[in-house]
Amino acid sequence: MSLLVVGLSHRSAPVSVLERAALTVDAQSKLLHDTVAAEPAAEAAVLATCNRIELYADVDKFHAGVAELSTLLARHSGVSLEELTPYLYVHYEDRAVHHLFSVACGLDSMVVGEGQILGQIKDGLARAQDLHTAGRLLNDLFQQALRVGKRAHSETGIDRAGQSLVTFGLEQLAGREPVEAWAKGKRALVIGAGSMSSLAAATLARSGVDEIVIANRTLERAERLTQILGDGGTGVRARAVRMDAVAAELTRADVAVSCTGATGLVLTGADVAAAVSGRTGAPAVTLPGQTGTPAAPGDAAQACADDTCLVTPADDPDAAEDPAAGPHIGDAHAYEQHGALVDNSPAVGGAAAVRTATAVARAQVAAPARAVALALLDLAMPRDIDAAVHRVEGVRLVDIESLAEASADAPMAADVDAVRTIVSDEVAAFGAAQRAAHITPTVVALRTMAADVVSSEIARLDGRLPELGDKQRAEITQTVRRVVDKLLHAPTVRVKQLASEPGGAGYADALRTLFDLDPETVAAVSRADHLRDAPGVQAGQQDQLHQNDDPKRGRA
């Protein structure tokens, strides 16, 4: 079996495709079940965030695995396979490990070095464990990815490689002004109360806005956030409103930030045009061909981060607002230390369409400052704010797509190279450990066979020398076992070392052939090993399993 990942991300696909391919929690669960039910796959896990959808699997056939995983992604995302295929990437074995470790360190994020992806990897593993689709390989892989990500953040300055998506977005809105000067005295509206919205509110408060209004589907969550803002010592006035008050609050706001999990638009072009009508002296603009549809009250809610979206079903209104779903607002300063945005232009093949659809929006990011009555920052995926609002006089919109374009030439930090070195070293270590683990069942079977031979010969000795006393018998038994152990020690240690090197998989086959080991015995040890590492196996059961495959079990 071998590791395979098939997916798409902000690096390979335009925002429009990512929006349509986004997976709900229910869709992820069904995808996992269908993947392990497919012939090529034995294990499966999904990593689904704002900016990526990836399906990991342990497969026995590469080409059949790629075909099956691609088909399943298309089926459950609702995007046809023909349309999805040009944006898919495939990584296999060591390259798949390298990819996930890079993602865990934030090297593949829209914001290089951001740490919120670690929480999403943890959630993806937990979901696969709950559904019993993650076996030994994916458990080992995802748990090691979490350790590698934490190591990168603790041993390097990757967190300081750049800015958070919020800060970068506000800088684009401020143009040539410092954010603090631009924000001073403004009235801000923040739509959503998840982790990214909380970070936006904290950043705005520290930047000097005069008032922050938090609008959320669950009022209690918004009220908790306003209380935290009030206790933060910034002097900002904060209040909470329900989502149905957004239209009224928008007419008073100077800047609005939105990051919800709605499947439709939260702010349409007509909403924005009505909000600024009369402020600029220009008549309200009628926008034909609105992109998307207004969000319905029952749409899913999600706490959206720059590379993390925690999606919860609409029938559980408080799930997304759970404090555990995202970082506490008190941690906002830490999130300001994210990495620089790099290499984020859309993939070849999809770039032309993206440029055509968003040329004006992207031009606004680099355009000279103009009179702006309402500044909008859309951090949601799928988008919360209609892209057509760029046609409204006095409105400036910055969204995920325009941020990616603006950040494409951002400088790389030296710490990124240090993290890449860590990733390379960890990939090599993980590969060696997996190859060594592959030969372990064969070594255990060899030692078990040797122990059986010793037991058989001692039993024969008892029959031939029944007059032996217990003390003499125990001494002979121990001596024979020591001889066998010493004979097997050097070869088994060496074969594990050789097997851990690239191309060492054949040593297990050689060992089985040389000692004529029963394939079923090796398979039984392997099954016990997988069962021990499977989700839900209790500590006592693990101890028993360890005893069962211990070659020294039963020795005097």
Side-chain angles (χ1 to χ4, degrees):
M1 303 298 283
S2 300
L3 178 65
L4 174 68
V5 56
V6 177
L8 67 161
S9 73
H10 64 98
R11 292 185 182 275
S12 69
V15 172
S16 58
V17 174
L18 285 172
E19 286 178 330
R20 293 168 53 211
L23 296 172
T24 65
V25 171
D26 286 343
Q28 292 177 44
S29 299
K30 293 175 183 177
L31 174 59
L32 289 174
H33 282 305
D34 287 354
T35 302
V36 294
E39 182 180 349
E43 305 178 29
V46 172
L47 179 58
T49 75
C50 290
N51 297 320
R52 73 181 65 250
I53 303 164
E54 296 175 346
L55 178 57
Y56 292 78
D58 185 11
V59 301
D60 59 1
K61 299 174 184 176
F62 172 73
H63 294 291
V66 171
E68 187 66 30
L69 266 58
S70 301
T71 300
L72 289 170
L73 275 175
R75 181 187 307 162
H76 290 277
S77 68
V79 180
S80 69
L81 181 60
E82 182 179 8
E83 183 178 359
L84 195 64
T85 297
Y87 306 111
L88 293 177
Y89 47 77
V90 175
H91 298 296
Y92 190 55
E93 294 188 330
D94 284 353
R95 290 193 63 83
V97 176
H98 190 283
H99 174 73
L100 182 59
F101 286 4
S102 297
V103 170
C105 293
L107 292 179
D108 198 58
S109 299
M110 181 172 287
V111 182
V112 171
E114 61 91 6
Q116 290 172 304
I117 183 61
L118 289 173
Q120 192 64 30
I121 291 174
K122 185 177 180 180
D123 292 338
L125 174 59
R127 183 172 299 110
Q129 289 175 335
D130 290 343
L131 297 173
H132 304 290
T133 64
R136 176 172 183 169
L137 176 60
L138 293 184
N139 270 295
D140 289 351
L141 175 69
F142 274 63
Q143 288 170 4
Q144 187 61 25
L146 292 171
R147 287 189 284 267
V148 173
K150 291 175 183 176
R151 179 188 169 194
H153 285 282
S154 64
E155 295 184 12
T156 73
I158 190 68
D159 289 352
R160 301 185 298 275
Q163 309 150 308
S164 77
L165 205 61
V166 172
T167 303
F168 191 76
L170 292 178
E171 285 184 351
Q172 299 307 304
L173 289 175
R176 297 178 181 178
E177 281 189 274
V179 172
E180 290 76 11
W182 171 81
K184 187 175 181 180
K186 280 185 166 56
R187 291 168 295 188
L189 170 64
V190 176
I191 305 174
S195 58
M196 181 59 79
S197 298
S198 300
L199 177 56
T203 305
L204 287 166
R206 288 196 303 273
S207 299
V209 296
D210 185 58
E211 179 186 47
I212 298 178
V213 177
I214 308 295
N216 197 53
R217 190 168 52 89
T218 304
L219 184 61
E220 290 75 13
R221 174 65 173 165
E223 289 173 339
R224 287 198 298 270
L225 180 53
T226 59
Q227 182 178 357
I228 294 170
L229 290 172
D231 295 339
T234 60
V236 67
R237 291 183 289 113
R239 55 191 178 88
V241 299
R242 297 187 184 278
M243 287 295 289
D244 56 11
V246 165
E249 294 296 338
L250 196 63
T251 62
R252 304 176 61 252
D254 301 303
V255 56
V257 180
S258 186
C259 185
T260 75
T263 55
L265 297 174
V266 174
L267 295 178
T268 66
D271 295 332
V272 174
V276 298
S277 178
R279 292 204 218 178
T280 62
V285 178
T286 300
L287 298 171
Q290 299 279 340
T291 60
T293 57
D299 283 340
Q302 69 187 12
C304 183
D306 30 327
D307 203 13
T308 303
C309 284
L310 188 63
V311 185
T312 56
D315 58 1
D316 186 5
D318 292 321
E321 278 74 21
D322 190 294
H328 190 279
I329 191 68
D331 296 329
H333 181 68
Y335 288 116
E336 290 296 319
Q337 305 301 319
H338 286 340
L341 298 167
V342 295
D343 300 333
N344 293 313
S345 17
V348 175
V354 175
R355 290 193 187 97
T356 301
T358 61
V360 179
R362 290 198 298 229
Q364 287 186 3
V365 175
R370 63 172 183 169
V372 176
L374 179 60
L376 301 172
L377 178 58
D378 186 357
L379 300 175
M381 179 70 71
R383 70 177 76 244
D384 277 349
I385 303 175
D386 191 343
V389 302
H390 69 265
R391 303 176 188 171
V392 179
E393 180 68 24
V395 174
R396 187 173 186 185
L397 170 67
V398 171
D399 58 16
I400 291 288
E401 199 165 345
S402 56
L403 286 175
E405 179 71 10
S407 65
D409 297 324
M412 295 285 284
D415 290 303
V416 171
D417 290 332
V419 173
R420 285 175 173 162
T421 300
I422 289 175
V423 168
S424 296
D425 292 344
E426 291 285 356
V427 169
F430 183 84
Q434 290 296 308
R435 287 188 291 270
H438 177 69
I439 203 171
T440 298
T442 302
V443 171
V444 170
L446 173 60
R447 287 189 170 274
T448 301
M449 182 192 76
D452 291 342
V453 170
V454 170
S455 297
S456 175
E457 291 302 318
I458 294 299
R460 179 183 296 182
L461 183 64
D462 286 341
R464 295 175 63 184
L465 299 174
E467 68 277 7
L468 275 177
D470 291 342
K471 184 175 181 180
Q472 291 94 344
R473 182 182 182 280
E475 186 62 34
I476 293 173
T477 302
Q478 189 65 22
T479 299
V480 174
R481 286 175 174 166
R482 279 198 298 267
V483 171
V484 171
D485 284 345
K486 288 181 179 180
L487 286 174
L488 291 180
H489 176 71
T492 53
V493 169
R494 184 58 179 151
V495 79
K496 285 184 177 181
Q497 293 172 344
L498 293 171
S500 68
E501 298 174 359
Y507 285 99
D509 295 332
L511 204 61
R512 287 193 292 270
T513 301
L514 286 171
F515 288 92
D516 195 23
L517 297 177
D518 182 6
E520 182 55 35
T521 302
V522 177
V525 174
S526 183
R527 284 195 297 270
D529 205 26
H530 279 274
L531 178 59
R532 182 174 63 239
D533 294 320
V537 176
Q538 302 300 316
Q541 293 173 293
Q542 291 183 356
D543 292 341
Q544 183 62 43
L545 286 167
H546 276 292
Q547 292 172 6
N548 289 342
D549 63 21
D550 185 355
K552 297 181 181 180
R553 181 172 177 257
R555 295 185 180 182

